[in-house]
Amino acid sequence: MIRKISMLLVAVLLLIGSNVKAEEGMWIPMLLKKYNIEDMQKAGFKLTADDIYNVNQACLKDAVVGLGREGRPFRHFCTGELVSDEGLMITNHHCGYGAIQSHSTLEHDYLKDGFWAMSREEELANEGITASFLIRMEDVTEKVLKGITFETSEKERLKLIGKRIAEIQKKAEEGTHYRASVKPYFDGNQYFMSVYEIFKDVRLVGAPPSAIGKFGGDTDNWMWPRHTGDFSMFRIYAGKDNKPASYSKDNVPLKPKQSFKISLKGVNQDDFTMVFGYPGTTTEYLTSYALELMTKTDNPHKIKIRTKKLDLMRADMDASPLVRIQYSAKYASVANSWKRWQGEIKGLKRLDAIAKKQELENKFEEWANSNPELKKKYAGILTKMKGLYTEITPVSLARNYAMEAGMRGAELTDFAYMFNKLVKLKKGEEKKVEGLVKSLKRSSEKFFKNFNASTDQKLLAATLQMYSDNLKDKYLPEEIKSIRAKYKGDFESYAAKSMSKTVFANKEKLSQILNSYKISMSKKLAKDPIFKLAYSINFFYDSEIAPVYGKIYSKTTKLQRTYMAGLMEMQKDKVFYPDANSTFRVHYGKVAGYKAKDAVNYDHYTTLEGIIEKDNPEIFDYDVPQKLRDLYAAKNFGDYANANGEMPVCFAATNHTTGGNSGSPVLNANGELIGLNFDRAWEGVMSDLMYDPEICRNVSLDIRYVLFIVDKFAGAGYLLDEMNIVK
């Protein structure tokens, strides 16, 4: 059986070279030579597959950086690219936003004013950020799935796969300083291993003010036309042996295998473009039942919760400069998915996606019943899937409220629950106190730096009200039902009283407790009103929601894996690419505008003129810095203007990207850097679920605007001296 699956996948992949459309797909770099390169070259690419991916010599992949965090380095939250032989890296402003915010104070507001290190000594260290470089990939499907068949139980399958993956990773890492990660592709029908070199010393070099790097704010997020200078610059440091090392003043700038040449030639309509990066998650092959759950239940409720949270945060941010600094990164994080979910619903409706999925499913059922062999493997899968999604819908709703309105509704509940391990300690476990207290002290310092009690009190009251109002009692934690009864549904009164009593909102009181903590104090801490709430929500979730959801979801996962194998067997003439899973991918397409709707046609690029047109000092997100106004008025664009004398800012293209591709290098046909991917256009944001080449567009920052800002606006032209810029 496993041999049949492997042969099926090979047969499918063999189709790629002749039938793939450049616009759609997230391709595995090690397979480009065999399956994609001919199509890429027909589309205009002038290099070879070896220029992109090669394990024996330096190539373009060696200049691409996967940004992660210590403890989870393989979950790349963004991508970056090396632009010098001294470890200088560019990524998006929103990718570096947390780091910029962490260094900001009222005295040094780097979010508002920007930051530029004018020497190596001024570069700022960032604890916890990692920078990964892909060394090699390997297809390990046969090793992982050996002996596993459709009849293997899910429990045994997971056990065997987990054991084999651990063995494969351990063997790959032996005798090296590399880290290995094996991940599933095609819903677990195939497995690839990625081996990385991971650096831990990543320092902030520069970032424009938010009025440039976040221009347009959340209003323009997910939109086109776009005028956001979404970039920041970091430098990767290594030990003196050029190998990964924890932060040290003795570390030196990384000497990379490869860095990108930067092109000043710009882009034109229909130019070939290629994006490298670490796309996070896509689900292109879901059933209609999954889309119905997402668009009719999950997303609408999550949007409703986050709308309330955003309204409350924005009001306090507008009223206080300190709260604006404290909550800027948090607001952006909440708003990002909130807006995407809305776009997904709209885009899927426009495509009539559910009906298209149903049409495919009807064909699948007919095919699955066409002969005894197929009937044995695939018949009835979709009927079972429909039943499972009906069963999981109310549980999924409860799960969403537990996470969005409960655990993460107010920051304080999430923070208080971090103390659960400390509270649970019993006599005889005194040795564990010191380590836990030390860790909680560090977490507390970070928490209180960006915490505003008044704002969180409003969030607590509002989200608990929504939690209580939108679920049946069987899906509510006991503490929420108790609060509702005691306060007669007045969650604002509860929030005010609990915030006045809890130690978790008081830095000094909490610090005193931690400085003298003894296990005998756990009972008192457990009675804290916010801890009681946090514990109740998490306990109910862990005991009543997660197990039920997990059991049903596990069944859908097995059916989805079988359905995926069946789809590929049925559609022998269709090209399949694996969903994104935070591993290195190559995307290619062309520069292109698009028709958004009737009588609305967008060009493929924007300019500084558009920024000046949007300028509004009354609105924070559109208040253009005076120096940028002056540069525009004087037309002081240096060598960075286009042939028409305009200062280009952003451009749109057909590359199939998603979250995680933020900061990805955008290259031209010669493999030269022409931009930084940072977003997608609103009308096509459903591309994670269904791609439409007519309207799906990735949005990129023109590299010429980056250089212009660094040189003319920031006066940090010395950074350009270490770059390889070609005209």
Side-chain angles (χ1 to χ4, degrees):
M1 185 64 70
I2 187 63
R3 179 173 172 79
K4 289 181 180 179
I5 294 174
S6 298
M7 290 177 67
L8 168 63
L9 289 168
V10 170
V12 170
L13 289 171
L14 283 170
L15 296 168
I16 291 175
S18 58
N19 295 326
V20 65
K21 291 183 178 180
E23 291 88 354
E24 183 175 1
M26 301 178 176
W27 307 103
I28 301 171
M30 66 173 286
L31 300 177
L32 293 176
K33 190 174 199 175
K34 193 170 185 179
Y35 305 125
N36 294 83
I37 194 62
E38 183 178 341
D39 179 75
M40 294 172 68
Q41 290 170 338
K42 286 179 180 178
F45 187 52
K46 297 179 181 179
L47 303 179
T48 68
D50 281 333
D51 291 320
I52 297 173
Y53 175 90
N54 194 307
V55 297
N56 298 314
Q57 62 187 39
C59 57
L60 294 176
K61 78 167 175 62
D62 298 319
V64 184
V65 184
L67 293 172
R69 295 183 176 89
E70 283 197 59
R72 46 179 184 171
F74 305 128
R75 291 181 61 184
H76 303 103
F77 64 86
C78 276
T79 306
E81 53 273 353
L82 291 175
V83 292
S84 85
D85 293 332
E86 297 177 63
L88 188 63
M89 177 186 76
I90 305 180
T91 187
N92 286 159
H93 186 271
H94 75 261
C95 293
Y97 202 77
I100 302 164
Q101 188 267 347
S102 69
H103 294 296
S104 294
T105 63
L106 283 174
E107 295 75 25
H108 300 286
D109 190 347
Y110 298 139
L111 287 176
K112 181 176 181 292
D113 303 325
F115 168 79
W116 297 97
M118 292 301 174
S119 68
R120 301 281 168 88
E121 290 71 30
E122 293 181 4
E123 295 173 359
L124 302 176
N126 300 283
E127 183 180 355
I129 295 180
T130 61
S132 300
F133 293 89
L134 178 67
I135 302 301
R136 65 183 179 88
M137 292 187 73
E138 180 183 343
D139 186 342
V140 294
T141 305
E142 291 192 9
K143 295 177 183 177
V144 173
L145 297 181
K146 183 179 181 181
I148 294 175
T149 70
F150 282 117
E151 287 73 34
T152 304
S153 72
E154 199 68 3
K155 183 178 180 180
E156 181 65 15
R157 186 181 193 277
L158 290 173
K159 181 181 177 181
L160 287 171
I161 288 175
K163 181 181 178 181
R164 290 168 182 174
I165 285 177
E167 292 171 349
I168 292 168
Q169 291 174 169
K170 182 180 179 181
K171 185 175 180 181
E173 293 174 354
E174 283 179 357
T176 76
H177 64 279
Y178 298 144
R179 295 285 304 280
S181 173
V182 174
K183 289 190 175 183
Y185 294 68
F186 294 111
D187 291 313
N189 284 298
Q190 193 169 19
Y191 286 81
F192 280 85
M193 176 176 68
S194 298
V195 178
Y196 300 97
E197 186 173 32
I198 302 176
F199 292 83
K200 302 177 182 179
D201 189 352
V202 182
R203 306 182 194 180
L204 179 63
V205 174
S210 291
I212 291 174
K214 204 173 182 291
F215 182 79
D218 294 297
T219 303
D220 283 3
N221 190 26
W222 298 110
M223 304 300 287
W224 182 261
R226 199 67 175 276
H227 299 88
T228 310
D230 197 346
F231 79 96
S232 57
M233 305 180 78
F234 292 79
R235 194 181 303 278
I236 302 171
Y237 281 75
K240 292 183 179 179
D241 57 359
N242 206 43
K243 292 181 180 179
S246 297
Y247 172 80
S248 169
K249 291 182 179 180
D250 295 329
N251 286 348
V252 296
L254 172 70
K255 297 296 182 185
K257 299 176 184 176
Q258 183 90 355
S259 63
F260 287 118
K261 293 180 180 179
I262 297 174
S263 173
L264 292 182
K265 297 173 186 175
V267 299
N268 295 301
Q269 177 75 21
D270 295 326
D271 279 357
F272 175 88
T273 59
M274 178 169 59
V275 175
F276 290 161
Y278 288 89
T281 303
T282 58
T283 48
E284 303 286 343
Y285 308 108
L286 289 177
T287 63
S288 63
Y289 316 116
L291 290 191
E292 284 183 328
L293 173 62
M294 182 185 301
T295 59
K296 297 179 181 180
T297 300
D298 285 352
N299 281 8
H301 280 273
K302 290 190 292 185
I303 290 166
K304 184 166 64 173
I305 296 167
R306 291 199 178 194
T307 298
K308 175 60 72 173
K309 292 178 68 173
L310 289 168
D311 288 346
L312 292 171
M313 283 193 281
R314 171 51 67 189
D316 281 11
M317 289 167 67
D318 288 344
S320 166
L322 177 59
V323 176
R324 178 181 55 77
I325 292 173
Q326 291 174 323
Y327 280 76
S328 287
K330 290 180 277 194
Y331 184 95
S333 177
V334 172
N336 193 50
S337 292
W338 167 79
K339 196 165 186 179
R340 174 171 56 82
W341 292 329
Q342 295 174 71
E344 285 177 348
I345 292 174
K346 186 176 180 180
L348 290 171
K349 183 178 180 180
R350 174 185 169 275
L351 285 177
D352 200 12
I354 291 176
K356 288 179 180 176
K357 292 281 188 180
Q358 290 171 339
E359 182 181 357
L360 175 62
E361 288 158 9
N362 290 334
K363 291 179 180 178
F364 182 87
E365 284 282 19
E366 184 179 347
W367 170 80
N369 284 282
S370 63
N371 68 56
E373 184 180 350
L374 293 175
K375 193 171 184 178
K376 182 179 179 182
K377 288 193 295 183
Y378 303 120
I381 286 176
L382 291 169
T383 300
K384 292 178 183 177
M385 194 82 86
K386 181 179 180 180
L388 288 172
Y389 274 101
T390 300
E391 185 180 355
I392 206 172
T393 295
V395 186
S396 182
L397 184 62
R399 178 175 179 266
N400 288 327
Y401 271 93
M403 294 192 300
E404 293 285 337
M407 301 174 193
R408 298 194 294 264
E411 287 187 277
L412 213 54
T413 52
D414 189 36
F415 176 60
Y417 194 68
M418 293 174 66
F419 288 72
N420 186 46
K421 288 183 179 179
L422 189 66
V423 172
K424 288 170 66 176
L425 290 181
K426 298 177 181 179
K427 287 184 179 180
E429 296 182 303
E430 285 78 8
K431 291 183 179 180
K432 297 180 181 179
V433 171
E434 183 180 353
L436 283 172
V437 166
K438 186 177 181 180
S439 175
L440 289 169
K441 282 183 177 180
R442 288 197 300 267
S443 298
S444 298
E445 282 296 320
K446 291 181 181 178
F447 176 77
F448 283 111
K449 182 178 186 293
N450 297 312
F451 174 71
N452 181 273
S454 175
T455 302
D456 212 48
Q457 180 177 319
K458 296 171 188 175
L459 291 170
L460 180 64
T463 54
L464 287 182
Q465 186 75 60
M466 297 181 79
Y467 201 164
S468 174
D469 289 349
N470 287 279
L471 293 179
K472 294 179 179 179
D473 277 10
K474 67 178 290 188
Y475 293 117
L476 286 174
E478 288 301 318
E479 186 66 12
I480 292 181
K481 289 187 284 187
S482 176
I483 292 167
R484 184 179 60 192
K486 182 177 179 180
Y487 290 86
K488 298 180 181 180
D490 186 354
F491 286 97
E492 288 188 2
S493 294
Y494 161 77
K497 190 170 183 179
S498 62
M499 290 289 280
S500 69
K501 287 187 172 184
T502 181
V503 298
F504 294 102
N506 190 307
K507 183 178 181 181
E508 290 71 29
K509 287 184 179 180
L510 187 59
S511 180
Q512 289 174 9
I513 290 173
L514 288 175
N515 287 335
S516 59
Y517 192 82
K518 294 180 176 59
I519 289 178
S520 60
M521 300 165 66
S522 63
K523 289 184 179 180
K524 183 178 180 180
L525 206 58
K527 292 180 180 179
D528 182 281
I530 295 297
F531 182 84
K532 282 177 65 180
L533 174 65
Y535 181 82
S536 180
I537 294 170
N538 281 273
F539 177 79
F540 185 79
Y541 177 83
D542 291 340
S543 60
E544 302 295 330
I545 303 298
V548 177
Y549 182 89
K551 185 176 181 180
I552 302 171
Y553 185 77
S554 178
K555 293 177 182 178
T556 66
T557 298
K558 181 177 182 179
L559 291 174
Q560 179 66 36
R561 183 173 63 248
T562 307
Y563 179 55
M564 182 79 246
L567 281 177
M568 292 193 290
E569 189 174 346
M570 179 184 79
Q571 298 177 298
K572 296 185 184 298
D573 295 329
K574 175 181 169 61
V575 176
F576 288 84
Y577 56 88
D579 273 318
N581 59 358
S582 201
T583 58
F584 193 95
R585 302 295 179 90
V586 175
H587 325 245
Y588 54 102
K590 62 183 179 181
V591 175
Y594 66 99
K595 180 178 180 179
K597 53 187 176 182
D598 185 41
V600 178
N601 294 280
Y602 289 135
D603 290 336
H604 67 276
Y605 75 104
T606 62
T607 69
L608 182 54
E609 181 179 354
I611 293 176
I612 301 303
E613 289 173 350
K614 289 181 177 180
D615 185 15
N616 187 343
E618 305 269 325
I619 302 175
F620 180 78
D621 289 333
Y622 294 103
D623 186 7
V624 176
Q626 185 58 47
K627 187 171 183 179
L628 190 56
R629 296 188 188 114
D630 294 341
L631 288 168
Y632 174 78
K635 297 296 185 285
N636 185 7
F637 304 149
D639 295 331
Y640 313 117
N642 64 21
N644 297 325
E646 303 165 313
M647 185 62 246
V649 177
C650 299
F651 63 90
T654 64
N655 301 282
H656 188 181
T657 60
T658 187
N661 277 124
S662 290
S664 288
V666 185
L667 310 182
N668 62 17
N670 296 313
E672 299 162 341
L673 187 67
I674 54 173
L676 283 69
N677 181 83
F678 72 93
D679 207 353
R680 285 173 285 163
W682 171 258
E683 294 84 358
V685 76
M686 74 294 173
S687 59
D688 286 351
L689 303 153
M690 186 175 285
Y691 184 88
D692 180 3
E694 295 302 315
I695 205 165
C696 290
R697 295 291 182 269
N698 69 303
V699 178
S700 300
L701 176 63
D702 196 305
I703 195 64
R704 291 172 295 179
Y705 188 62
V706 174
L707 300 179
F708 164 73
I709 293 296
V710 173
D711 185 6
K712 298 294 184 178
F713 179 87
Y718 80 95
L719 291 170
L720 276 61
D721 294 338
E722 57 183 282
M723 302 178 190
N724 187 352
I725 300 172
V726 295
K727 296 183 179 181

